[in-house]
Amino acid sequence: MATVELSQENFDTVVGGEGLVLVDFWAEWCGPCKMFGPVFEKSSEEHTDIKFAKVDTEAQVELAQAFEIRSIPTLMAVRDGVVLYSQPGALPSAALEDLIKQLRAVDMEEVRAQIAAHEAEHGTEPHTH
């Protein structure tokens, strides 16, 4: 599956759903982005069950700002609507494959339980031990 170009209009639809989505924040003028692009594209062809998406930070300034992208390329991984990973830097192919393996292994029920516990602790509901 080829990569999907993300914009304000389709971001929530593509990234907010079920499953694993990898998002590459990039720009045309960025040398490391150009090196990472083919690695990301090749991985998208090998992992057809994962959505691979790109955000051109020059064209989509609001999205870049919303996710506080300070350095590009930045790779963000979202699974079932939860951001599990967001780091700047161009990954070599082996590192990207290792990251995908780790993301697949994440227990999302445990993640949701941690989020719920965090919200209960920092939210408005009283918390008792």
Side-chain angles (χ1 to χ4, degrees), residues 17-89:
E18 292 288 306
L20 182 56
V21 185
L22 294 180
V23 182
D24 174 21
F25 288 87
W26 68 285
E28 187 63 42
W29 52 263
C30 164
C33 297
K34 289 186 178 184
M35 292 185 335
F36 182 61
V39 171
F40 192 71
E41 192 70 38
K42 181 174 182 286
S43 187
S44 77
E45 292 163 9
E46 293 173 6
H47 299 282
T48 55
D49 60 319
I50 298 174
K51 291 181 206 159
F52 285 76
K54 295 176 83 71
V55 174
D56 180 347
T57 57
E58 295 289 295
Q60 302 298 327
V61 175
E62 299 86 8
L63 283 177
Q65 288 174 341
F67 289 97
E68 299 180 4
I69 303 302
R70 307 249 181 273
S71 171
I72 52 173
T74 287
L75 181 65
M76 186 172 78
V78 182
R79 187 161 157 204
D80 299 341
V82 178
V83 176
L84 297 181
Y85 176 91
S86 185
Q87 293 290 319

Side-chain angles (χ1 to χ4, degrees), residues 67-125:
F67 289 97
E68 299 180 4
I69 303 302
R70 307 249 181 273
S71 171
I72 52 173
T74 287
L75 181 65
M76 186 172 78
V78 182
R79 187 161 157 204
D80 299 341
V82 178
V83 176
L84 297 181
Y85 176 91
S86 185
Q87 293 290 319
L91 294 177
S93 185
L96 179 57
E97 290 304 307
D98 188 52
L99 174 63
I100 288 170
K101 195 183 308 174
Q102 291 177 46
L103 292 165
R104 287 187 196 275
V106 170
D107 180 344
M108 290 308 292
E109 285 186 27
E110 186 178 309
V111 169
R112 280 189 278 278
Q114 290 173 353
I115 291 169
H118 183 271
E119 286 174 351
E121 193 173 307
H122 296 88
T124 54
E125 295 180 24

Side-chain angles (χ1 to χ4, degrees), residues 4-26:
V4 177
E5 194 66 40
L6 292 179
S7 65
Q8 289 280 95
E9 291 74 36
N10 69 352
F11 189 89
D12 289 342
T13 308
V14 174
V15 178
E18 292 288 306
L20 182 56
V21 185
L22 294 180
V23 182
D24 174 21
F25 288 87
W26 68 285

